[in-house]
Amino acid sequence: MVEKNEFYDVTFVDMTHDGMGICKIDGFTLFVANGLKGETAKIKVTKINENFGFGRMIEVIEKSPYRKEPICDHFAECGGCNLMHMDYQMQLNFKKYRTAETLRRLGKIETKVNETVGMLNPYYYRNKAVIPFGEENGKMIAGLYKSRSHDIIDMKRCYIIPKITTDIVKFLKNVFTELNIPAYNEKIGTGVIRHVVIRNSNYYDDISVTLVTLTPKLPKKDIIIKRLVSRYKRVVSIVHNHNPNTTNVVLGKKSKVIYGEDYIRDEINSVRFKISHRSFYQVNPIQTEEMYTKAIEYAEITPNDIVIDAYCGIGTIGLSVAKYCKTVLGVEIVKQAIVDANENAKENNITNAKFVVGKAEDVIKTWSNYNVDVLFVDPPRKGCDRVFLDTVCEMKIPKLVYVSCNVATLARDLNILQAAGYEVQEVTPFDMFPQTSHIEAVVKIRYKRQD
Ligand code: SAH
C-alpha cells in the first residue's frame, strides 16, 4: 500500500495536460510536478486521495534526453511556466500529442493533427502582464502567484514578459513604497494597490498601464503619473481602475483614464488596431499573425462570401478577412470591445464589416436568414454555448473555422458538430504560450451531410 510521507522510486509513464509526470506504485496513480515521461525518479508521497495521489520530486535518477535546466529562478514555485523543464521541441511535440489525444478521447474525433507551430524565440512574448501586489515582512512585493495559491512571488525577472514590463513593475513598486502607498492585503481586506496591468504594442512603441486599487481614490495620483511618464516615454495610457470587491476578477466596474488615451495601437498582418484596457487582445502578437494566416487559409474564402466572426473581441479576425469577402458580421459580449471593433473598421477604411454587442448564442439567431458561408468561432476557455452550436447546425453554415484556447471544450464542441453532419478535416496547434502547458488550436471543419 502507498503511504503518505514515504519515499519511492518510480517511472513516469505519461504526463497530465498541465505537464505533471504520471507514475504508478502497485497500480495506484500519483501525479508529480517536474517529472518527464520516461524518467525514473525518487519521490516523496505528499497527498493520498481515494483514487490517486500526489508526490514531490526528490531526485531524478535517470534523466530524459528532453530535460532542460529551467532558465528561470522562480520555476520551482511559480504558477506561470510549468513546462520550462522540457526542451522546446518536446514542448511542441507534447502539445501536438495532447491535442490529438484529447480530441480522440473526449470528442471521438479522428483527424489529421499537424505539428505544433512554435516560435523562433519562445521567450519575452507576452504583451500583457497582470501583476498582483502584496506585502511580505513589511515590504511591498509584486510579481506572480505561486502555483495553486494566492501567495505572491516577488519577481526578480520573468522570461515570458518583455524586459521593460518587469522594469516598470519594479519601478512602480519603488514609487509606491516611497510614497507610502500600501499594497492590498487580500486576507484582511485593507491597503490600496491590488494589481498593475501592463500592455505592450508589438508594432508600435505604445505601452498602457492600468492601476487597480481597493480604494475609490488613487492617492498621490499626479506624482505617480509624472514619475511614470517621465521615466518611460513609451507609456501612452494610464488608467485607474477601482475594484472594491472580494473577488479574483482583476478589474472592477469603474475605470478612469488619468493620462493619455484609453488605448494602445497595434498592427496584425497590416491591419491597424486600437485596443482599450478592457478589451480582449491575443497575448502573443507574433504567433497571432501566424495563427490568423492559417485560420484564413482554412476558411477558403471567396469574394462573395458572407462571414461571421463570433466571439470577435475588437474584430481582429473579421477585419483581417474583410478584404477577401463580401460582408463580415461580428458579435462580442464586451461593449467596449465592439466600440473598438467598429472604430478599427473605420480606421482601416473597411466598410463591409458590422460588429454588434451581445451574446453570440442570441445574436447568431438574428442572422439565420443570411446565407452565411463562413463562420469563425473563437470562444473563451469554456467553449461555445450549446444553443450557439445548435443554431450553427440548423443554419448548416458550410465552412467553419474554430480557434480554441482549450482543447477539452474544443473536443466537446466538435463532437456536437460532428454528430450534426460536420466533418473535422484538419487541426493545427499553435504555441501561443511557450513554457506553459496552454494550447491554442485552429480547426478546419466542413458541412458534409446533404439532407
Ligand atoms: N477573436 C478575438 C477574441 C477571442 S477571445 C481575438 O482573436 O482577439 C473570446 C472573446 O469572447 C472575448 O473577447 C470575450 O469577451 C468574448 N465572449 C465571451 N463570452 C461571449 C458570449 N457568450 N458571446 C459573445 N462573446 C463572448
Side-chain angles (χ1 to χ4, degrees):
M1 214 179 75
V2 184
E3 305 254 2
K4 193 177 160 179
N5 292 329
E6 285 297 311
F7 295 85
Y8 296 87
D9 286 354
V10 299
T11 302
F12 295 110
V13 289
D14 204 347
M15 297 183 74
T16 62
H17 70 97
D18 54 358
M20 291 181 111
I22 304 176
C23 60
K24 285 188 192 277
I25 303 172
D26 299 334
F28 186 78
T29 303
L30 288 155
F31 302 111
V32 181
N34 197 12
L36 294 180
K37 187 175 174 181
E39 289 185 331
T40 55
K42 185 181 281 304
I43 64 156
K44 182 179 181 184
V45 175
T46 52
K47 192 172 181 187
I48 295 190
N49 295 334
E50 201 174 325
N51 298 316
F52 60 88
F54 291 91
R56 185 157 52 82
M57 176 70 85
I58 302 298
E59 184 193 358
V60 184
I61 299 167
E62 234 170 278
K63 277 190 185 168
S64 161
Y66 303 107
R67 178 171 283 276
K68 193 180 168 197
E69 195 54 45
I71 56 170
C72 182
D73 290 345
H74 300 305
F75 173 72
E77 51 176 2
C78 180
C81 298
N82 46 3
L83 300 188
M84 238 182 204
H85 58 311
M86 281 185 192
D87 83 10
Y88 191 51
Q89 187 55 49
M90 184 183 176
Q91 292 185 25
L92 298 177
N93 296 348
F94 172 71
K95 290 183 183 187
K96 174 186 173 179
Y97 164 76
R98 293 250 34 114
T99 304
E101 261 300 290
T102 311
L103 292 185
R104 193 177 305 127
R105 204 165 34 84
L106 297 181
K108 314 260 177 301
I109 309 282
E110 298 288 341
T111 190
K112 179 181 170 203
V113 178
N114 295 314
E115 297 298 324
T116 309
V117 179
M119 295 187 81
L120 281 177
N121 177 16
Y123 298 106
Y124 304 113
Y125 58 83
R126 253 194 99 95
N127 62 11
K128 181 181 172 190
V130 180
I131 308 290
F133 276 62
E135 243 154 61
E136 196 177 61
N137 304 327
K139 261 184 70 188
M140 184 176 250
I141 56 171
L144 300 148
Y145 286 127
K146 284 185 188 165
S147 186
R148 295 184 182 82
S149 90
H150 264 201
D151 294 340
I152 298 165
I153 299 168
D154 197 25
M155 182 173 71
K156 290 200 253 356
R157 188 165 176 184
C158 174
Y159 287 88
I160 62 169
I161 60 180
K163 288 176 187 151
I164 190 166
T165 304
T166 309
D167 258 24
I168 294 176
V169 172
K170 289 182 180 169
F171 179 81
L172 283 173
K173 198 170 62 175
N174 287 337
V175 171
F176 296 146
T177 303
E178 223 178 274
L179 298 177
N180 257 324
I181 305 173
Y184 172 54
N185 183 327
E186 198 178 28
K187 294 198 180 89
I188 53 173
T190 57
V192 179
I193 307 290
R194 296 179 68 129
H195 282 91
V196 170
V197 183
I198 300 173
R199 235 178 197 170
N200 312 59
S201 169
N202 179 46
Y203 197 81
Y204 300 94
D205 275 342
D206 299 5
I207 292 176
S208 68
V209 177
T210 305
L211 307 168
V212 186
T213 64
L214 177 73
T215 46
K217 269 203 172 148
L218 173 63
K220 304 180 184 151
K221 180 183 87 189
D222 295 333
I223 307 176
I224 298 171
I225 296 169
K226 201 164 155 222
R227 298 278 287 276
L228 188 55
V229 298
S230 49
R231 173 71 179 79
Y232 296 99
K233 303 275 181 273
R234 289 175 57 187
V235 173
V236 295
S237 164
I238 306 177
V239 174
H240 169 218
N241 177 271
H242 172 213
N243 187 357
N245 309 317
T246 326
T247 165
N248 285 344
V249 180
V250 174
L251 295 182
K253 282 204 179 95
K254 278 191 196 143
S255 287
K256 195 170 172 211
V257 181
I258 54 173
Y259 174 81
E261 307 282 352
D262 176 22
Y263 62 82
I264 57 166
R265 304 159 299 160
D266 208 355
E267 231 178 271
I268 304 174
N269 292 333
S270 306
V271 185
R272 290 190 307 279
F273 293 99
K274 278 183 179 174
I275 309 135
S276 41
H277 78 285
R278 241 176 230 288
S279 300
F280 174 89
Y281 188 61
Q282 297 285 349
V283 298
N284 184 332
I286 296 167
Q287 292 297 84
T288 300
E289 291 207 332
E290 301 274 335
M291 185 175 82
Y292 284 0
T293 304
K294 179 58 81 181
I296 295 168
E297 178 197 313
Y298 278 175
E300 296 172 299
I301 293 172
T302 57
N304 272 326
D305 279 355
I306 296 179
V307 176
I308 291 180
D309 178 4
Y311 306 86
C312 68
I314 58 167
T316 40
I317 297 178
L319 295 173
S320 300
V321 301
K323 57 178 172 290
Y324 307 120
C325 66
K326 189 168 153 199
T327 309
V328 171
L329 303 165
V331 55
E332 157 66 45
I333 204 162
V334 174
K335 193 169 158 224
Q336 186 56 44
I338 289 298
V339 172
D340 289 356
N342 283 315
E343 179 126 339
N344 287 328
K346 244 191 249 156
E347 290 265 325
N348 289 282
N349 299 319
I350 293 170
T351 51
N352 60 337
K354 187 178 117 187
F355 296 95
V356 296
V357 187
K359 290 186 181 165
E361 53 272 30
D362 297 338
V363 174
I364 192 163
K365 288 186 189 152
T366 67
W367 293 334
S368 58
N369 290 333
Y370 287 96
N371 253 331
V372 178
D373 303 282
V374 177
L375 168 72
F376 288 97
V377 55
D378 184 7
R381 290 185 61 75
K382 68 172 195 267
C384 294
D385 189 276
R386 180 68 202 240
V387 174
F388 177 86
L389 293 173
D390 288 344
T391 311
V392 171
C393 295
E394 273 163 35
M395 288 165 76
K396 299 184 172 59
I397 300 174
K399 298 183 274 188
L400 263 54
V401 178
Y402 195 134
V403 178
S404 163
C405 56
N406 179 348
V407 286
T409 54
L410 173 67
R412 178 200 68 200
D413 291 352
L414 291 181
N415 181 272
I416 293 168
L417 292 169
Q418 186 171 263
Y422 279 95
E423 183 181 83
V424 178
Q425 296 190 335
E426 197 178 316
V427 182
T428 304
F430 280 82
D431 198 16
M432 298 291 269
F433 316 101
Q435 319 306 334
T436 81
S437 54
H438 294 289
I439 305 175
E440 188 92 13
V442 181
V443 189
K444 180 179 181 184
I445 308 155
R446 290 293 179 271
Y447 189 70
K448 282 291 163 190
R449 195 185 293 156
Q450 305 298 326
D451 55 14

